[in-house]
Amino acid sequence: FDVKIVKKMREIEGKIKINSDLGILEYFFLAKNKKRINEADLSLANDSGKKNRSPVLFLSNGEMTKKSEKYLNENLKGRIIFRKI
């Protein structure tokens, strides 16, 4: 996979390939060390995914705000997968 450190100790992004029952899936991934994930974070991740022509795997140690959860479920479903690590 291809990794780029955007902000030291805060943000990493890149492309990753994951083996699945459907074959190899390619995702743009974004990992953020942040306490709260807001709508702007999701929107920027979505834009990066569009630029790389891939769905987004968003990893964070923080919690999503209620507004960002609603935004993800209503507007970005299927384009961004959010996982708390």
Side-chain angles (χ1 to χ4, degrees):
F1 59 81
D2 181 29
V3 177
K4 176 181 160 189
I5 297 174
V6 179
K7 294 180 184 174
K8 192 172 185 177
M9 301 301 294
R10 284 288 196 202
E11 189 173 331
I12 300 172
E13 65 181 35
K15 287 189 175 184
I16 188 169
K17 292 181 181 180
I18 300 172
N19 289 327
S20 76
D21 292 339
L22 301 173
I24 297 175
L25 302 175
E26 188 172 310
Y27 286 92
F28 174 78
F29 81 91
L30 180 64
K32 283 194 174 229
N33 180 13
K34 191 173 175 185
K35 289 183 181 182
R36 292 234 174 237
I37 302 302
N38 58 32
E39 297 161 82
D41 296 322
L42 294 174
S43 183
L44 289 172
N46 185 47
D47 291 344
S48 296
K50 284 181 182 178
K51 186 169 69 173
N52 289 290
R53 297 182 182 155
S54 299
V56 177
L57 178 60
F58 194 118
L59 307 171
S60 178
N61 61 341
E63 299 286 335
M64 289 180 66
T65 63
K66 289 186 180 189
K67 281 186 174 182
S68 62
E69 282 184 47
K70 183 177 178 182
Y71 180 69
L72 177 65
N73 291 327
E74 292 179 359
N75 300 308
L76 303 174
K77 197 165 196 142
R79 289 187 270 172
I80 294 182
I81 298 170
F82 178 82
R83 295 290 182 259
K84 183 178 178 192
I85 52 173

